[in-house]
Amino acid sequence: MGADRGGGAQQAPDRARTSSASRSGLFDVTRILAYALGFIAVMLAIETFLVQPFERHVARWRPRPA
């Protein structure tokens, strides 16, 4: 009277879910790399145009090393 705990009935929906997930772009490496490179570009721009000038401004009282 208990539910069938065999693997046969449960495996088919799992396989179908996995294949539909990969078809829908869940593991789209190209898109992930594009987002990663975009993030790196934004972080480098912030570092170059905001953080470094601020750091130079704050540290201008320090004597420069020879």
Side-chain angles (χ1 to χ4, degrees):
M1 283 193 228
D4 183 5
R5 301 232 181 237
Q10 195 65 20
Q11 287 178 354
D14 290 342
R15 268 187 266 143
R17 195 174 320 133
T18 303
S19 63
S20 67
S22 63
R23 276 186 300 217
S24 69
L26 185 62
F27 304 109
D28 190 4
V29 176
T30 306
R31 186 173 290 169
I32 291 170
L33 286 175
Y35 282 126
L37 290 174
F39 178 76
I40 290 169
V42 167
M43 294 311 294
L44 284 173
I46 290 172
E47 170 73 19
T48 303
F49 298 115
L50 294 176
V51 175
Q52 287 181 1
F54 177 72
E55 186 176 351
R56 280 195 300 270
H57 177 75
V58 170
R60 64 187 165 171
W61 61 271
R62 290 181 163 179
R64 295 192 179 212

Short mmCIF file of all heavy atoms in Angstrom, two decimals:
data_model
loop_
_atom_site.label_atom_id
_atom_site.label_comp_id
_atom_site.label_asym_id
_atom_site.label_seq_id
_atom_site.Cartn_x
_atom_site.Cartn_y
_atom_site.Cartn_z
N MET A 1 0.81 -1.18 0.00
CA MET A 1 0.00 0.00 0.00
C MET A 1 0.86 1.26 0.00
O MET A 1 0.39 2.32 -0.30
CB MET A 1 -0.90 0.03 1.25
CG MET A 1 -2.05 -0.89 1.10
SD MET A 1 -3.24 -0.55 2.36
CE MET A 1 -3.51 -2.20 2.90
N GLY A 2 2.13 1.10 0.33
CA GLY A 2 3.03 2.26 0.34
C GLY A 2 3.39 2.65 -1.09
O GLY A 2 3.16 1.92 -2.05
N ALA A 3 3.94 3.80 -1.20
CA ALA A 3 4.36 4.29 -2.52
C ALA A 3 5.55 3.47 -3.00
O ALA A 3 6.37 3.02 -2.23
CB ALA A 3 4.75 5.76 -2.42
N ASP A 4 5.61 3.27 -4.28
CA ASP A 4 6.70 2.54 -4.88
C ASP A 4 7.97 3.39 -4.79
O ASP A 4 8.05 4.48 -5.32
CB ASP A 4 6.37 2.24 -6.35
CG ASP A 4 7.46 1.40 -7.01
OD1 ASP A 4 8.41 0.98 -6.33
OD2 ASP A 4 7.33 1.20 -8.20
N ARG A 5 8.95 2.90 -4.10
CA ARG A 5 10.19 3.65 -3.92
C ARG A 5 11.26 3.17 -4.89
O ARG A 5 12.43 3.49 -4.73
CB ARG A 5 10.68 3.50 -2.49
CG ARG A 5 9.68 4.00 -1.49
CD ARG A 5 10.30 4.97 -0.56
NE ARG A 5 9.28 5.39 0.39
CZ ARG A 5 8.95 6.64 0.56
NH1 ARG A 5 9.53 7.56 -0.13
NH2 ARG A 5 8.04 6.97 1.43
N GLY A 6 10.87 2.45 -5.89
CA GLY A 6 11.83 2.00 -6.89
C GLY A 6 12.34 3.16 -7.71
O GLY A 6 11.70 4.19 -7.84
N GLY A 7 13.51 3.03 -8.27
CA GLY A 7 14.13 4.12 -9.00
C GLY A 7 13.57 4.32 -10.39
O GLY A 7 13.71 5.38 -10.95
N GLY A 8 12.93 3.31 -10.97
CA GLY A 8 12.49 3.40 -12.35
C GLY A 8 11.51 4.51 -12.62
O GLY A 8 11.65 5.28 -13.56
N ALA A 9 10.49 4.64 -11.79
CA ALA A 9 9.47 5.64 -12.02
C ALA A 9 9.99 7.04 -11.71
O ALA A 9 9.56 8.01 -12.30
CB ALA A 9 8.25 5.35 -11.15
N GLN A 10 10.95 7.15 -10.83
CA GLN A 10 11.45 8.45 -10.42
C GLN A 10 12.54 8.97 -11.37
O GLN A 10 12.72 10.16 -11.49
CB GLN A 10 12.01 8.35 -9.00
CG GLN A 10 12.23 9.67 -8.32
CD GLN A 10 10.94 10.43 -8.08
OE1 GLN A 10 9.87 9.86 -8.08
NE2 GLN A 10 11.04 11.72 -7.89
N GLN A 11 13.25 8.12 -12.04
CA GLN A 11 14.38 8.55 -12.86
C GLN A 11 13.95 9.27 -14.13
O GLN A 11 14.60 10.21 -14.53
CB GLN A 11 15.26 7.36 -13.23
CG GLN A 11 16.06 6.84 -12.05
CD GLN A 11 16.89 5.64 -12.43
OE1 GLN A 11 16.77 5.13 -13.53
NE2 GLN A 11 17.70 5.18 -11.50
N ALA A 12 12.90 8.87 -14.75
CA ALA A 12 12.50 9.47 -16.02
C ALA A 12 12.19 10.96 -15.88
O ALA A 12 12.70 11.75 -16.67
CB ALA A 12 11.32 8.72 -16.61
N PRO A 13 11.40 11.40 -14.89
CA PRO A 13 11.16 12.84 -14.78
C PRO A 13 12.44 13.62 -14.47
O PRO A 13 12.63 14.72 -14.93
CB PRO A 13 10.16 12.96 -13.64
CG PRO A 13 9.49 11.65 -13.58
CD PRO A 13 10.52 10.66 -14.00
N ASP A 14 13.35 13.04 -13.66
CA ASP A 14 14.60 13.73 -13.34
C ASP A 14 15.44 13.93 -14.60
O ASP A 14 16.01 14.98 -14.81
CB ASP A 14 15.40 12.95 -12.30
CG ASP A 14 14.74 13.00 -10.93
OD1 ASP A 14 13.90 13.89 -10.72
OD2 ASP A 14 15.07 12.15 -10.09
N ARG A 15 15.52 12.90 -15.43
CA ARG A 15 16.29 13.03 -16.67
C ARG A 15 15.66 14.06 -17.59
O ARG A 15 16.36 14.85 -18.20
CB ARG A 15 16.37 11.67 -17.38
CG ARG A 15 17.61 10.92 -16.95
CD ARG A 15 17.76 9.68 -17.79
NE ARG A 15 17.12 8.61 -17.04
CZ ARG A 15 16.42 7.62 -17.56
NH1 ARG A 15 16.26 7.54 -18.84
NH2 ARG A 15 15.89 6.70 -16.80
N ALA A 16 14.36 14.08 -17.66
CA ALA A 16 13.68 15.04 -18.52
C ALA A 16 13.90 16.46 -18.01
O ALA A 16 14.12 17.38 -18.77
CB ALA A 16 12.18 14.73 -18.57
N ARG A 17 13.88 16.64 -16.69
CA ARG A 17 14.10 17.96 -16.11
C ARG A 17 15.53 18.44 -16.38
O ARG A 17 15.76 19.58 -16.72
CB ARG A 17 13.85 17.91 -14.60
CG ARG A 17 13.71 19.26 -13.98
CD ARG A 17 13.33 19.21 -12.52
NE ARG A 17 12.36 18.18 -12.22
CZ ARG A 17 12.47 17.32 -11.21
NH1 ARG A 17 13.48 17.37 -10.39
NH2 ARG A 17 11.55 16.40 -11.00
N THR A 18 16.50 17.55 -16.25
CA THR A 18 17.89 17.92 -16.48
C THR A 18 18.12 18.30 -17.93
O THR A 18 18.75 19.31 -18.22
CB THR A 18 18.82 16.74 -16.10
OG1 THR A 18 18.58 16.40 -14.75
CG2 THR A 18 20.26 17.12 -16.27
N SER A 19 17.59 17.52 -18.86
CA SER A 19 17.83 17.84 -20.26
C SER A 19 17.11 19.12 -20.65
O SER A 19 17.63 19.90 -21.44
CB SER A 19 17.40 16.68 -21.15
OG SER A 19 16.02 16.46 -21.03
N SER A 20 15.93 19.39 -20.11
CA SER A 20 15.24 20.63 -20.45
C SER A 20 15.95 21.82 -19.82
O SER A 20 15.96 22.90 -20.39
CB SER A 20 13.79 20.58 -20.02
OG SER A 20 13.69 20.56 -18.61
N ALA A 21 16.57 21.63 -18.66
CA ALA A 21 17.31 22.72 -18.03
C ALA A 21 18.53 23.09 -18.86
O ALA A 21 18.82 24.27 -19.05
CB ALA A 21 17.73 22.33 -16.61
N SER A 22 19.23 22.11 -19.37
CA SER A 22 20.41 22.43 -20.17
C SER A 22 20.01 23.01 -21.52
O SER A 22 20.71 23.83 -22.07
CB SER A 22 21.29 21.19 -20.35
OG SER A 22 20.60 20.19 -21.06
N ARG A 23 18.86 22.61 -22.05
CA ARG A 23 18.40 23.18 -23.32
C ARG A 23 17.95 24.62 -23.14
O ARG A 23 18.07 25.44 -24.03
CB ARG A 23 17.24 22.37 -23.87
CG ARG A 23 17.68 21.17 -24.66
CD ARG A 23 16.47 20.56 -25.28
NE ARG A 23 15.56 20.18 -24.19
CZ ARG A 23 14.81 19.10 -24.18
NH1 ARG A 23 14.81 18.29 -25.21
NH2 ARG A 23 14.05 18.81 -23.17
N SER A 24 17.45 24.97 -21.96
CA SER A 24 16.93 26.32 -21.74
C SER A 24 18.04 27.33 -21.48
O SER A 24 17.78 28.50 -21.35
CB SER A 24 15.94 26.33 -20.58
OG SER A 24 16.63 26.08 -19.37
N GLY A 25 19.27 26.89 -21.38
CA GLY A 25 20.38 27.80 -21.20
C GLY A 25 20.83 27.95 -19.76
O GLY A 25 21.50 28.91 -19.42
N LEU A 26 20.48 27.03 -18.90
CA LEU A 26 20.90 27.11 -17.51
C LEU A 26 22.41 27.00 -17.40
O LEU A 26 23.02 27.63 -16.56
CB LEU A 26 20.22 25.98 -16.71
CG LEU A 26 20.46 25.98 -15.21
CD1 LEU A 26 19.90 27.25 -14.60
CD2 LEU A 26 19.81 24.77 -14.58
N PHE A 27 23.04 26.25 -18.28
CA PHE A 27 24.48 26.06 -18.25
C PHE A 27 25.11 26.69 -19.49
O PHE A 27 25.95 26.11 -20.14
CB PHE A 27 24.82 24.58 -18.18
CG PHE A 27 24.18 23.89 -17.01
CD1 PHE A 27 23.14 23.00 -17.18
CD2 PHE A 27 24.61 24.15 -15.73
CE1 PHE A 27 22.55 22.37 -16.10
CE2 PHE A 27 24.03 23.54 -14.64
CZ PHE A 27 23.00 22.64 -14.83
N ASP A 28 24.72 27.90 -19.82
CA ASP A 28 25.21 28.58 -21.01
C ASP A 28 26.56 29.23 -20.69
O ASP A 28 26.63 30.32 -20.13
CB ASP A 28 24.20 29.64 -21.44
CG ASP A 28 24.52 30.23 -22.79
OD1 ASP A 28 25.49 29.78 -23.43
OD2 ASP A 28 23.79 31.15 -23.21
N VAL A 29 27.63 28.54 -21.04
CA VAL A 29 28.98 28.96 -20.68
C VAL A 29 29.33 30.28 -21.36
O VAL A 29 29.96 31.15 -20.76
CB VAL A 29 30.01 27.87 -21.05
CG1 VAL A 29 31.42 28.33 -20.78
CG2 VAL A 29 29.71 26.60 -20.27
N THR A 30 28.91 30.47 -22.59
CA THR A 30 29.21 31.69 -23.31
C THR A 30 28.62 32.90 -22.59
O THR A 30 29.28 33.93 -22.43
CB THR A 30 28.65 31.61 -24.74
OG1 THR A 30 29.14 30.43 -25.36
CG2 THR A 30 29.06 32.82 -25.55
N ARG A 31 27.39 32.79 -22.15
CA ARG A 31 26.74 33.90 -21.44
C ARG A 31 27.41 34.15 -20.09
O ARG A 31 27.61 35.30 -19.70
CB ARG A 31 25.27 33.60 -21.25
CG ARG A 31 24.52 34.76 -20.66
CD ARG A 31 23.05 34.52 -20.64
NE ARG A 31 22.56 34.54 -22.01
CZ ARG A 31 21.35 34.17 -22.37
NH1 ARG A 31 20.50 33.74 -21.48
NH2 ARG A 31 20.98 34.23 -23.63
N ILE A 32 27.79 33.10 -19.40
CA ILE A 32 28.46 33.25 -18.11
C ILE A 32 29.80 33.95 -18.29
O ILE A 32 30.16 34.85 -17.53
CB ILE A 32 28.63 31.88 -17.42
CG1 ILE A 32 27.27 31.35 -17.00
CG2 ILE A 32 29.57 31.98 -16.22
CD1 ILE A 32 27.29 29.91 -16.52
N LEU A 33 30.56 33.56 -19.32
CA LEU A 33 31.84 34.21 -19.58
C LEU A 33 31.65 35.67 -19.97
O LEU A 33 32.45 36.53 -19.58
CB LEU A 33 32.60 33.46 -20.68
CG LEU A 33 33.21 32.13 -20.26
CD1 LEU A 33 33.82 31.44 -21.46
CD2 LEU A 33 34.25 32.33 -19.18
N ALA A 34 30.62 35.96 -20.73
CA ALA A 34 30.36 37.35 -21.11
C ALA A 34 30.04 38.19 -19.88
O ALA A 34 30.55 39.31 -19.73
CB ALA A 34 29.20 37.41 -22.10
N TYR A 35 29.23 37.68 -18.97
CA TYR A 35 28.93 38.41 -17.75
C TYR A 35 30.19 38.58 -16.90
O TYR A 35 30.42 39.64 -16.31
CB TYR A 35 27.85 37.71 -16.92
CG TYR A 35 26.45 37.94 -17.44
CD1 TYR A 35 25.62 36.86 -17.72
CD2 TYR A 35 25.95 39.21 -17.64
CE1 TYR A 35 24.33 37.06 -18.20
CE2 TYR A 35 24.67 39.42 -18.10
CZ TYR A 35 23.87 38.34 -18.38
OH TYR A 35 22.59 38.55 -18.85
N ALA A 36 31.01 37.54 -16.81
CA ALA A 36 32.24 37.62 -16.01
C ALA A 36 33.19 38.67 -16.58
O ALA A 36 33.75 39.48 -15.84
CB ALA A 36 32.91 36.25 -15.95
N LEU A 37 33.37 38.67 -17.90
CA LEU A 37 34.25 39.66 -18.51
C LEU A 37 33.69 41.08 -18.37
O LEU A 37 34.44 42.03 -18.14
CB LEU A 37 34.48 39.32 -19.98
CG LEU A 37 35.33 38.07 -20.23
CD1 LEU A 37 35.39 37.75 -21.72
CD2 LEU A 37 36.72 38.25 -19.67
N GLY A 38 32.40 41.22 -18.46
CA GLY A 38 31.78 42.52 -18.23
C GLY A 38 31.98 43.00 -16.81
O GLY A 38 32.28 44.17 -16.57
N PHE A 39 31.84 42.10 -15.86
CA PHE A 39 32.05 42.44 -14.45
C PHE A 39 33.49 42.86 -14.21
O PHE A 39 33.75 43.86 -13.52
CB PHE A 39 31.69 41.24 -13.57
CG PHE A 39 31.91 41.48 -12.11
CD1 PHE A 39 31.02 42.25 -11.37
CD2 PHE A 39 33.01 40.94 -11.47
CE1 PHE A 39 31.23 42.47 -10.03
CE2 PHE A 39 33.22 41.15 -10.12
CZ PHE A 39 32.33 41.92 -9.39
N ILE A 40 34.44 42.13 -14.80
CA ILE A 40 35.85 42.48 -14.66
C ILE A 40 36.12 43.86 -15.25
O ILE A 40 36.84 44.67 -14.65
CB ILE A 40 36.74 41.40 -15.32
CG1 ILE A 40 36.67 40.11 -14.51
CG2 ILE A 40 38.18 41.87 -15.46
CD1 ILE A 40 37.29 38.91 -15.20
N ALA A 41 35.55 44.15 -16.41
CA ALA A 41 35.75 45.45 -17.04
C ALA A 41 35.20 46.58 -16.16
O ALA A 41 35.85 47.62 -16.00
CB ALA A 41 35.09 45.47 -18.42
N VAL A 42 34.04 46.38 -15.57
CA VAL A 42 33.45 47.40 -14.71
C VAL A 42 34.31 47.60 -13.46
O VAL A 42 34.56 48.74 -13.05
CB VAL A 42 32.00 47.01 -14.32
CG1 VAL A 42 31.47 47.88 -13.19
CG2 VAL A 42 31.10 47.11 -15.54
N MET A 43 34.79 46.52 -12.88
CA MET A 43 35.62 46.64 -11.68
C MET A 43 36.95 47.33 -11.99
O MET A 43 37.43 48.15 -11.19
CB MET A 43 35.87 45.27 -11.05
CG MET A 43 34.61 44.61 -10.50
SD MET A 43 33.60 45.68 -9.45
CE MET A 43 34.66 45.92 -8.07
N LEU A 44 37.55 47.04 -13.13
CA LEU A 44 38.79 47.72 -13.52
C LEU A 44 38.54 49.22 -13.76
O LEU A 44 39.37 50.06 -13.41
CB LEU A 44 39.39 47.08 -14.76
CG LEU A 44 40.10 45.74 -14.54
CD1 LEU A 44 40.49 45.12 -15.87
CD2 LEU A 44 41.31 45.94 -13.65
N ALA A 45 37.42 49.55 -14.36
CA ALA A 45 37.09 50.96 -14.58
C ALA A 45 36.90 51.69 -13.25
O ALA A 45 37.38 52.82 -13.07
CB ALA A 45 35.84 51.08 -15.44
N ILE A 46 36.22 51.08 -12.31
CA ILE A 46 36.02 51.68 -10.99
C ILE A 46 37.37 51.88 -10.31
O ILE A 46 37.65 52.95 -9.73
CB ILE A 46 35.08 50.82 -10.13
CG1 ILE A 46 33.66 50.91 -10.67
CG2 ILE A 46 35.13 51.25 -8.67
CD1 ILE A 46 32.69 49.95 -10.02
N GLU A 47 38.22 50.89 -10.38
CA GLU A 47 39.55 50.98 -9.77
C GLU A 47 40.36 52.11 -10.40
O GLU A 47 40.98 52.91 -9.71
CB GLU A 47 40.29 49.64 -9.94
CG GLU A 47 41.75 49.67 -9.56
CD GLU A 47 42.01 49.75 -8.08
OE1 GLU A 47 41.10 49.42 -7.29
OE2 GLU A 47 43.13 50.13 -7.71
N THR A 48 40.34 52.20 -11.73
CA THR A 48 41.16 53.17 -12.44
C THR A 48 40.65 54.60 -12.26
O THR A 48 41.44 55.52 -12.03
CB THR A 48 41.22 52.82 -13.94
OG1 THR A 48 41.73 51.50 -14.08
CG2 THR A 48 42.09 53.78 -14.70
N PHE A 49 39.35 54.80 -12.38
CA PHE A 49 38.82 56.16 -12.42
C PHE A 49 38.29 56.68 -11.09
O PHE A 49 38.10 57.89 -10.94
CB PHE A 49 37.71 56.25 -13.48
CG PHE A 49 38.22 55.97 -14.86
CD1 PHE A 49 37.79 54.86 -15.55
CD2 PHE A 49 39.15 56.80 -15.46
CE1 PHE A 49 38.25 54.58 -16.82
CE2 PHE A 49 39.64 56.53 -16.73
CZ PHE A 49 39.19 55.42 -17.42
N LEU A 50 38.07 55.81 -10.12
CA LEU A 50 37.57 56.27 -8.82
C LEU A 50 38.54 56.00 -7.68
O LEU A 50 38.89 56.92 -6.92
CB LEU A 50 36.23 55.61 -8.51
CG LEU A 50 35.07 55.98 -9.42
CD1 LEU A 50 33.84 55.18 -9.05
CD2 LEU A 50 34.77 57.45 -9.33
N VAL A 51 38.99 54.77 -7.55
CA VAL A 51 39.78 54.40 -6.38
C VAL A 51 41.19 54.97 -6.45
O VAL A 51 41.67 55.56 -5.47
CB VAL A 51 39.82 52.86 -6.22
CG1 VAL A 51 40.74 52.45 -5.09
CG2 VAL A 51 38.41 52.33 -5.98
N GLN A 52 41.88 54.84 -7.58
CA GLN A 52 43.26 55.33 -7.67
C GLN A 52 43.36 56.85 -7.51
O GLN A 52 44.22 57.32 -6.76
CB GLN A 52 43.91 54.87 -8.97
CG GLN A 52 44.25 53.40 -8.95
CD GLN A 52 44.92 52.94 -10.24
OE1 GLN A 52 45.15 53.73 -11.15
NE2 GLN A 52 45.23 51.66 -10.30
N PRO A 53 42.50 57.65 -8.17
CA PRO A 53 42.58 59.09 -7.92
C PRO A 53 42.28 59.46 -6.46
O PRO A 53 42.94 60.33 -5.88
CB PRO A 53 41.52 59.68 -8.84
CG PRO A 53 41.38 58.69 -9.93
CD PRO A 53 41.59 57.36 -9.28
N PHE A 54 41.32 58.78 -5.85
CA PHE A 54 41.01 59.04 -4.44
C PHE A 54 42.20 58.67 -3.56
O PHE A 54 42.57 59.41 -2.64
CB PHE A 54 39.77 58.26 -4.01
CG PHE A 54 39.43 58.42 -2.57
CD1 PHE A 54 38.90 59.62 -2.10
CD2 PHE A 54 39.65 57.40 -1.67
CE1 PHE A 54 38.59 59.78 -0.76
CE2 PHE A 54 39.34 57.55 -0.33
CZ PHE A 54 38.82 58.75 0.12
N GLU A 55 42.83 57.56 -3.85
CA GLU A 55 43.99 57.12 -3.08
C GLU A 55 45.15 58.11 -3.23
O GLU A 55 45.83 58.43 -2.25
CB GLU A 55 44.42 55.73 -3.55
CG GLU A 55 45.52 55.11 -2.72
CD GLU A 55 45.83 53.71 -3.16
OE1 GLU A 55 45.10 53.15 -4.01
OE2 GLU A 55 46.83 53.16 -2.67
N ARG A 56 45.38 58.62 -4.44
CA ARG A 56 46.44 59.63 -4.63
C ARG A 56 46.12 60.90 -3.86
O ARG A 56 47.01 61.52 -3.26
CB ARG A 56 46.60 59.93 -6.12
CG ARG A 56 47.41 58.91 -6.86
CD ARG A 56 47.85 59.42 -8.23
NE ARG A 56 46.71 59.76 -9.09
CZ ARG A 56 46.11 58.90 -9.92
NH1 ARG A 56 46.53 57.67 -9.99
NH2 ARG A 56 45.10 59.29 -10.66
N HIS A 57 44.87 61.30 -3.87
CA HIS A 57 44.46 62.51 -3.16
C HIS A 57 44.65 62.36 -1.64
O HIS A 57 45.13 63.28 -0.98
CB HIS A 57 42.99 62.84 -3.48
CG HIS A 57 42.47 64.01 -2.75
ND1 HIS A 57 42.82 65.31 -3.09
CD2 HIS A 57 41.64 64.11 -1.68
CE1 HIS A 57 42.21 66.14 -2.26
NE2 HIS A 57 41.48 65.45 -1.40
N VAL A 58 44.28 61.23 -1.11
CA VAL A 58 44.37 61.01 0.33
C VAL A 58 45.82 60.85 0.78
O VAL A 58 46.20 61.31 1.85
CB VAL A 58 43.54 59.76 0.72
CG1 VAL A 58 43.79 59.35 2.15
CG2 VAL A 58 42.07 60.03 0.52
N ALA A 59 46.65 60.24 -0.05
CA ALA A 59 48.03 59.95 0.34
C ALA A 59 49.02 61.01 -0.14
O ALA A 59 50.23 60.79 -0.09
CB ALA A 59 48.42 58.58 -0.22
N ARG A 60 48.57 62.19 -0.53
CA ARG A 60 49.50 63.19 -1.06
C ARG A 60 50.39 63.81 0.01
O ARG A 60 51.42 64.38 -0.29
CB ARG A 60 48.73 64.28 -1.80
CG ARG A 60 47.83 65.07 -0.94
CD ARG A 60 46.98 66.01 -1.73
NE ARG A 60 45.93 66.45 -0.83
CZ ARG A 60 45.09 67.40 -1.10
NH1 ARG A 60 45.17 68.02 -2.24
NH2 ARG A 60 44.18 67.71 -0.23
N TRP A 61 50.02 63.69 1.27
CA TRP A 61 50.85 64.22 2.36
C TRP A 61 52.06 63.34 2.63
O TRP A 61 53.02 63.80 3.24
CB TRP A 61 50.02 64.35 3.64
CG TRP A 61 49.48 63.03 4.14
CD1 TRP A 61 48.31 62.47 3.79
CD2 TRP A 61 50.11 62.13 5.03
NE1 TRP A 61 48.15 61.26 4.42
CE2 TRP A 61 49.24 61.02 5.18
CE3 TRP A 61 51.32 62.13 5.73
CZ2 TRP A 61 49.57 59.93 6.00
CZ3 TRP A 61 51.64 61.05 6.55
CH2 TRP A 61 50.76 59.97 6.67
N ARG A 62 52.03 62.10 2.19
CA ARG A 62 53.15 61.18 2.44
C ARG A 62 54.35 61.55 1.57
O ARG A 62 54.18 61.88 0.40
CB ARG A 62 52.76 59.75 2.13
CG ARG A 62 51.78 59.16 3.07
CD ARG A 62 51.51 57.75 2.65
NE ARG A 62 50.90 57.00 3.71
CZ ARG A 62 50.53 55.75 3.61
NH1 ARG A 62 50.71 55.11 2.49
NH2 ARG A 62 49.97 55.14 4.63
N PRO A 63 55.54 61.43 2.12
CA PRO A 63 56.72 61.65 1.27
C PRO A 63 56.86 60.51 0.28
O PRO A 63 56.57 59.35 0.58
CB PRO A 63 57.89 61.68 2.27
CG PRO A 63 57.38 61.03 3.50
CD PRO A 63 55.88 61.20 3.50
N ARG A 64 57.27 60.84 -0.92
CA ARG A 64 57.41 59.80 -1.97
C ARG A 64 58.70 59.01 -1.73
O ARG A 64 59.72 59.57 -1.36
CB ARG A 64 57.45 60.45 -3.33
CG ARG A 64 56.15 61.11 -3.63
CD ARG A 64 56.06 61.49 -5.06
NE ARG A 64 54.75 62.10 -5.26
CZ ARG A 64 54.09 62.00 -6.39
NH1 ARG A 64 54.62 61.38 -7.40
NH2 ARG A 64 52.92 62.55 -6.50
N PRO A 65 58.62 57.69 -1.96
CA PRO A 65 59.84 56.89 -1.80
C PRO A 65 60.86 57.24 -2.89
O PRO A 65 60.51 57.56 -4.00
CB PRO A 65 59.36 55.46 -1.93
CG PRO A 65 58.04 55.54 -2.60
CD PRO A 65 57.47 56.89 -2.32
N ALA A 66 62.12 57.13 -2.51
CA ALA A 66 63.19 57.48 -3.46
C ALA A 66 63.41 56.42 -4.50
O ALA A 66 63.10 55.31 -4.45
CB ALA A 66 64.49 57.73 -2.71
#
